[in-house]
Amino acid sequence: MKQRFPLSYLLLPVLLLALLLPAGCGRDAGIQTVRVGVALYQQEDTFISTVAQNLELLAREEELARTIKMNLTLADGRGSQSTQNDQVDRFLAQGCDIICVNIVDRTAAAVIIDKAQAADVPVIFFNREPVMEDLARWEHAYYVGSKAEQAGRLQGGIVKNAWQADAAALDQNGDGVLQYVMLEGEPGHQDALLRTEYSIQTLTQDGIPVEKLANDTANWQRGQASLRMSQWLEEFHGQIDVVFANNDDMALGAIDACLSAGMDTASLPFIVGVDATPPALAAVAEGTLKGTVQNDAAGQAEKILDLIGAFIDGTPVEDAVELEDGKYAWLPYTTVTADNLDAFL
Ligand code: GAL
């Protein structure tokens, strides 16, 4: 005679499996479920956390618009490429349909692209740009970002305009030369290299005399930038006309250092950043930060969702998103100063 089990016995393993599977990439019965794994290089990075929040918001909107379920799973690489590689392995093993990667080490993209290709899962890199040869390894590898060179030019343009309008207001020691310090992002990051280069080139190409007093990396971080700036204030007392920071967190760190050294808003050097994060916009409103360049977190998230939408629909990605070389979706940067601040608040 056949042994009969109550239904609950048969369902138990299924229920256990459902509990064990992480929410993001599990299987859902009923309506179509799209599983998206998002690997972040460092979740606590101010700009990256803004992109992640926008992605989550847009995924919810997409669910409503399409009557689907979109399981978005975020993984924090905490600055380690090997941790991130494991996270990507897990996304693929769990059956993610698409992966989005904010890669820790830009030169390590080939490994991830090969894994995604082997699983036939499209991979969208964002914010940290892989080298072109790596992206070319597979048809369904894309990059969403903004051109670092443009951010550098716009940041340099803010300083150039101020110098040309009233050089004396910036020139602390009145020697007719613009003395500056440069707070750089992570070494090797395209945004650190190119923003540094093109901000200064924008001044020199127009014949503005500049002198670099110091430069150093502060790895995008406010605390590190504040430490560097404190040292420079002691070393170059009264000489620093302009502080170029590759991002807003570091610009805010420089302001912290100046204020704790006893300066007031009127005596601060001319400090500029990039990103247009909410605290940076508040600093522009206060007058401590003279300008920034908007790094369009919402726009980048939107382009990522547009690409995902094309994969869901099975339509050519070029129909959904304008792509350069079939690979790159670029978002423009925008200058923000006290003059146009209202539009960004
Ligand atoms: C830059 C941004 C920085 C930092 C970095 C991380 O585009 O300006 O603030 O978030 O990306 O890759």
Side-chain angles (χ1 to χ4, degrees), residues 53-54 81 97 109 128 133 173 190 193 204 239 265 319:
Q53 281 160 20
N54 277 287
Q81 190 57 58
D97 301 297
R128 300 164 73 90
E133 294 72 34
N173 63 1
Q190 84 278 345
L193 299 168
T204 53
Q239 300 286 312
T265 307
D319 292 354

Side-chain angles (χ1 to χ4, degrees), residues 76-140:
D76 182 0
R78 296 182 303 278
S80 155
Q81 190 57 58
S82 69
T83 301
Q84 188 172 67
N85 287 351
D86 292 346
Q87 291 166 340
V88 167
D89 284 341
R90 230 168 293 140
F91 283 155
L92 295 174
Q94 288 161 356
C96 278
D97 301 297
I98 295 140
I99 56 171
C100 304
V101 183
N102 175 225
I103 196 160
V104 176
D105 174 358
R106 298 174 54 211
T107 63
V111 176
I112 289 179
I113 293 172
D114 292 351
K115 286 175 195 285
Q117 183 179 22
D120 200 25
V121 169
V123 52
I124 305 168
F125 291 92
F126 63 99
N127 168 262
R128 300 164 73 90
E129 188 182 334
V131 293
M132 200 192 285
E133 294 72 34
D134 286 347
L135 276 188
R137 292 171 85 88
W138 189 40
E139 193 195 342
H140 291 303

Side-chain angles (χ1 to χ4, degrees), residues 208-229:
I208 296 175
V210 301
E211 182 193 354
K212 179 170 74 182
L213 298 176
N215 66 298
D216 204 351
T217 179
N219 293 303
W220 307 122
Q221 291 176 31
R222 185 167 180 160
Q224 289 189 26
S226 171
L227 280 177
R228 301 281 172 289
M229 189 65 193

Side-chain angles (χ1 to χ4, degrees), residues 213-214 228-240:
L213 298 176
R228 301 281 172 289
M229 189 65 193
S230 300
Q231 288 155 1
W232 291 339
L233 285 173
E234 279 185 22
E235 196 176 338
F236 306 110
H237 188 74
Q239 300 286 312
I240 304 172

